[in-house]
Amino acid sequence: MRSSLVANQDPLLPPAEIFVHDECGGVLVFRSENQGCAFWGVRLGDLDQDDPPVFVQARHGWVPFLDRVSLACVELVLNEALFGGGGRLYNACELPADLLEAVPERFQRVALPDYPMWTGPEDFPVRWFSAPGQLLRLDGLDAHSWLHVRGRTRADLEAICETVPGRWSLGYTESLDAGPPPF
């Protein structure tokens, strides 16, 4: 298993840690938020399907996440690539309402359906965007939306921050010689 793709932020559980949660007729849990605040899984009753739907559980209970495990795997890898590298070439900002349209206007939408953020309905929908060397995740579509970004290089990251001139939260915490990003 390549941990840089599945175990940075909200990891895929190792086989020995996979478990069944009793709610919803039983849910086979295969992923956990890094502090145990949320879980992703497939209902036991859906395991006979070739590509069953995935649910996420957090403070608001179990809710539909993505309608196929294969899509949830793509989302997992995108999420882990975004947050991987210990903060290297990553940044985030809370977007004011006047900057919400800057993302879809200037970056290509990744072909992944809208899905809920585990933190709650206020962060719905989650949408992914990209450009060469740039990965962006937009959480929500209101005045308190968050944009999480990663660049392949420092120049890629700086270009995102210039294109979307929000109040960026994080600086560059590691040397650029720390190794290549996981994507």
Side-chain angles (χ1 to χ4, degrees):
M1 175 171 72
R2 186 166 166 202
S3 62
S4 65
L5 292 179
V6 297
N8 291 310
Q9 179 72 16
D10 301 327
L12 185 65
L13 295 175
E17 294 180 23
I18 293 173
F19 66 96
V20 174
H21 195 285
D22 291 335
E23 291 182 4
C24 299
V27 178
L28 182 65
V29 175
F30 62 85
R31 182 178 177 196
S32 175
E33 190 270 339
N34 68 38
Q35 297 175 5
C37 297
F39 299 100
W40 290 259
V42 174
R43 293 182 303 197
L44 295 179
D46 293 336
L47 288 176
D48 62 338
Q49 297 178 33
D50 289 338
D51 201 359
V54 173
F55 291 78
V56 63
Q57 184 268 339
R59 64 180 177 195
H60 52 284
W62 287 96
V63 297
F65 181 65
L66 286 164
D67 65 357
R68 297 187 317 224
V69 167
S70 58
L71 290 174
C73 290
V74 170
E75 189 278 338
L76 168 79
V77 171
L78 287 172
N79 197 60
E80 297 305 293
L82 180 70
F83 290 107
R88 182 172 177 265
L89 303 176
Y90 164 86
N91 212 333
C93 72
E94 187 172 6
L95 286 181
D98 63 326
L99 285 179
L100 280 173
E101 290 303 315
V103 176
E105 287 174 358
R106 298 182 179 121
F107 298 94
Q108 178 72 37
R109 174 89 188 259
V110 173
L112 194 65
D114 290 354
Y115 62 91
M117 173 55 75
W118 63 266
T119 54
E122 63 277 2
D123 294 321
F124 177 83
V126 174
R127 293 182 176 166
W128 289 89
F129 298 87
S130 69
Q134 301 170 335
L135 182 62
L136 302 85
R137 188 183 85 190
L138 180 60
D139 299 349
L141 295 176
D142 63 19
H144 299 289
S145 299
W146 275 87
L147 181 63
H148 300 270
V149 301
R150 174 169 294 283
R152 182 176 286 277
T153 66
R154 186 173 178 153
D156 290 331
L157 181 60
E158 289 172 346
I160 297 169
C161 296
E162 290 170 12
T163 300
V164 184
R167 293 187 59 205
W168 293 96
S169 303
L170 306 172
Y172 306 106
T173 59
E174 294 182 21
S175 163
L176 294 179
D177 298 326
F183 58 96

